[in-house]
Amino acid sequence: MSDTPERPVDGEEAEQSGFVSLGLDSRLLAALAALGYEEPTPVQRQAIPILLEGRDLLAQAATGTGKTAAFALPMLDRLVREGGERRGVFGLVLVPTRELAMQVAEAVHRYGKQAGVRVLAVYGGSSMGLQLRALERGVDVVVATPGRALDHVRRGTLALADVKLVVLDEADEMLDMGFAEDLEAILDATPDGRPMALFSATFPPRIAVLAARRLSSPTELKLGASRAMGAAPEGQGRVKQTAYVVPRAHKLAALSRVLDLEDPTSAIVFCRTRTEVDEISEKLNARGRRAEALHGGFSQEQRDRVMRRFRSGAADLLVATDVAARGLDVEQVSHVFNFDVPSEAEAYVHRIGRTGRAGRAGSAITFYEPREQWLLANVERLTKKKIERATVPTVADLKARRLELTRASLRETILGGGLDTFRVAVESLADEFDLLDVAAAGVKLAHEAAGSPGEDEEIPAIPVPPERPRFAPRGDGPAPGPFPARRGPRLAGAVRLFVGAGRDAGIRPADLFGAITNEAKLPSRAIGAIEIADRFSLVEVPGESADAVIEALRRTTLRGRKVLVRRERPAPPRR
Ligand code: AMP
């Protein structure tokens, strides 16, 4: 791979590249600059022009690709250009979970704040009163879960007559959760011929059916699959690739810990945004590292200064965005860290091409959240190389590693000789103490003097997500219908919970699914088989989560009423 810059990287010119060329409103551009976004991700580059033109879109994009901005920016652009005093809802975004509703609403708010856009997240479990008052006052963009959105539509409190763009986000998840009928009912309530965008990480047949029914001559974006999949780039064979699964809030602690363990001689830490670069480099410096920040907002002079410090070894870490790192002439680094999984697989390949050069060994270490699993799989597909998944090393691993370093330096010292002066001290102590104790005390002093670079804060261990697809391929089992009487795999170590409401009370798998993921915060993959009988339902959850799920379900309501929830009683013995 060459170090020739692919694009201008001067501060000024970099500012001009990217989003400006998409022709977005200046207030949106200002918001993006404030967030530190340097250039559009592939899904944004492709989707934004299509949605700006008001055409339908069918896009394969998983979390982490930048899909939220890909639909939010054109939606907001059209909204602000239309201007004027609006009352009706302009943009409707349907999402599978309450968590995603809040996340998307926050993103829309951040992008649209300067333009005065009003956004509301609408989901089950939050106060109906608050939602009603906000809807009454007037909202431009509604981000909703299908169940609650439909409640509002039926009550007449969410009018969709003025909607100009409908987005189905994570459509596969919505169908998987049994929201098919709700979706159809909501879409029936929106005016015909409105542009619509459907985003989905996977394309099971039911998505194709939905798209065929609801989209009109959509442009299809299949990211990752469109590019030529060549052989692994030169040098990559020597790069050890590891990905650590870690909750977002603990990423910095995880990076610090892995830096302690790996002890890189020279490394680049890649981040997505300028803001992140500034933040991470500051925090790493505060933790005693020598890190330099570099992003597209830097002048040529600043860049030169940073690079001089990095090359001379005055800084051993370079924290950079992809844009800033593009033109860099750095011969070899021992480690590349991806603070986030890059939103496109090609960027990953560029990044890790910085290490493992000229026959030397290199390490590429990526931190990912469980839901970014898809992005890693994309990278593996492109590079045809496996990325080893692991949980973040524990404090005990770190301690063992530090002791190992101390042991190694003691060994070097012994081999280096020149110990005569110290032998005298050992001999005099040996009269009084056991020789092994004397040696151990020496090791302790040396170990403590080496210092403990990071804080040993606890990082919650989350299991490495399974790498198999969430949907069994066709032929691998019964395809779930929109309202299967029973869904999900039988989980090992699961317990069955009895829920005192069933078909007669209007309970559907989606209700239980939604209540458990939203109220008990259980990830959807942790929920096993759900069976709905006339008067009751049974749901399988992991044994260790059973009490939390029972408590959460007892607190909430299902189809508007409190229900009995308990562990399933074993069947009485047969006589
Ligand atoms: P999403 O796939 O929409 O969940 O976005 C994943 C993350 O990427 C979010 O934290 C966004 O803030 C961030 N992001 C989205 N677009 C860009 C961009 N063009 N440059 C940098 N970061 C971005």
Side-chain angles (χ1 to χ4, degrees), residues 34-36 248-249 251-252 255-256 269 271-287 291-295 298 319-321 339-340:
L35 287 169
R248 173 136 213 107
K251 271 197 178 176
L252 182 69
L255 171 64
S256 274
V269 179
C271 301
R272 274 199 190 140
T273 65
R274 293 180 184 184
T275 328
E276 214 168 54
V277 163
D278 289 337
E279 212 179 287
I280 303 300
S281 56
E282 259 170 44
K283 289 192 174 151
L284 287 176
N285 282 318
R287 287 172 181 230
E292 286 286 336
L294 189 69
H295 58 58
F298 282 34
V319 185
T321 55
F339 193 70
D340 298 292

Side-chain angles (χ1 to χ4, degrees), residues 47-354:
I48 290 173
I50 295 165
L51 295 178
L52 282 177
E53 281 178 26
R55 287 187 282 145
D56 281 9
L57 175 71
L58 177 61
Q60 178 162 34
T63 299
T65 53
K67 65 183 166 66
T68 313
F71 60 74
L73 293 172
M75 180 184 277
L76 295 173
D77 187 271
R78 290 181 47 205
L79 169 71
V80 299
R81 276 177 210 277
E82 198 166 278
E85 248 320 288
R86 297 185 46 84
R87 288 291 294 171
V89 174
F90 183 95
L92 174 68
V93 184
L94 295 168
V95 298
T97 61
R98 153 159 112 183
E99 186 198 30
L100 192 61
M102 292 194 281
Q103 205 177 303
V104 169
E106 268 165 35
V108 173
H109 173 72
R110 278 199 304 269
Y111 303 140
K113 196 165 47 180
Q114 306 216 16
V117 172
R118 300 159 303 173
V119 53
L120 178 68
V122 168
Y123 48 82
S126 87
S127 149
M128 200 72 176
L130 278 179
Q131 291 173 7
L132 288 174
R133 279 197 293 281
L135 287 168
E136 182 76 8
R137 277 196 303 272
V139 170
D140 301 308
V141 176
V142 166
V143 184
T145 51
R148 182 55 74 94
L150 190 58
D151 277 353
H152 278 289
V153 169
R154 293 203 167 131
R155 285 164 171 238
T157 45
L158 174 60
L160 300 177
D162 286 340
V163 164
K164 298 278 169 31
L165 177 59
V166 180
V167 176
L168 306 186
D169 191 15
E170 304 201 352
D172 49 0
E173 288 278 350
M174 286 198 278
L175 294 189
D176 194 39
M177 287 172 67
F179 281 131
E181 281 182 7
D182 288 359
L183 279 182
E184 297 284 354
I186 295 167
L187 295 178
D188 283 342
T190 58
D192 283 344
R194 287 290 172 249
M196 190 167 139
L198 186 157
F199 287 78
S200 193
T202 59
F203 277 96
R206 291 194 299 139
I207 288 288
V209 171
L210 178 67
R213 273 169 56 81
R214 294 291 177 174
L215 299 177
S216 106
S217 319
T219 306
E220 293 186 24
L221 298 184
K222 290 225 168 177
L223 296 155
S226 57
R227 315 247 180 141
M229 309 263 165
E234 191 239 323
Q236 238 190 44
R238 285 178 294 276
V239 179
K240 180 170 182 286
Q241 302 181 57
T242 315
Y244 290 112
V245 59
V246 60
R248 173 136 213 107
H250 296 274
K251 271 197 178 176
L252 182 69
L255 171 64
S256 274
R257 184 171 298 170
V258 176
L259 280 169
D260 285 352
L261 272 169
E262 295 279 329
D263 202 20
T265 46
S266 140
I268 306 185
V269 179
F270 281 99
C271 301
R272 274 199 190 140
T273 65
R274 293 180 184 184
T275 328
E276 214 168 54
V277 163
D278 289 337
E279 212 179 287
I280 303 300
S281 56
E282 259 170 44
K283 289 192 174 151
L284 287 176
N285 282 318
R287 287 172 181 230
R289 303 246 153 224
R290 296 176 309 159
E292 286 286 336
L294 189 69
H295 58 58
F298 282 34
S299 68
Q300 191 57 46
E301 198 185 316
Q302 287 170 313
R303 285 175 65 84
D304 292 346
R305 197 165 50 233
V306 167
M307 290 316 296
R308 267 199 305 278
R309 286 180 56 74
F310 187 56
R311 282 202 197 94
S312 69
D316 41 25
L317 288 178
L318 188 66
V319 185
T321 55
D322 289 297
V323 170
R326 241 174 227 156
L328 283 191
D329 174 23
V330 181
E331 231 338 281
Q332 154 76 11
V333 297
S334 64
H335 289 69
V336 165
F337 292 92
N338 296 309
F339 193 70
D340 298 292
V341 192
S343 54
E344 56 181 321
E346 286 78 2
Y348 179 94
V349 175
H350 275 263
R351 288 177 177 190
I352 77 161
R354 302 272 163 197

Side-chain angles (χ1 to χ4, degrees), residues 327-393:
L328 283 191
D329 174 23
V330 181
E331 231 338 281
Q332 154 76 11
V333 297
S334 64
H335 289 69
V336 165
F337 292 92
N338 296 309
F339 193 70
D340 298 292
V341 192
S343 54
E344 56 181 321
E346 286 78 2
Y348 179 94
V349 175
H350 275 263
R351 288 177 177 190
I352 77 161
R354 302 272 163 197
T355 185
R357 290 187 172 190
R360 277 175 280 186
S363 265
I365 295 171
T366 304
F367 298 94
Y368 74 107
E369 296 173 64
R371 56 207 195 92
E372 288 172 331
Q373 172 79 352
W374 290 100
L375 291 178
L376 280 183
N378 271 349
V379 170
E380 289 179 325
R381 220 173 302 132
L382 177 73
T383 59
K384 300 192 169 66
K385 284 262 153 30
K386 187 100 197 77
I387 301 174
E388 190 195 323
R389 319 289 161 94
T391 48
V392 178

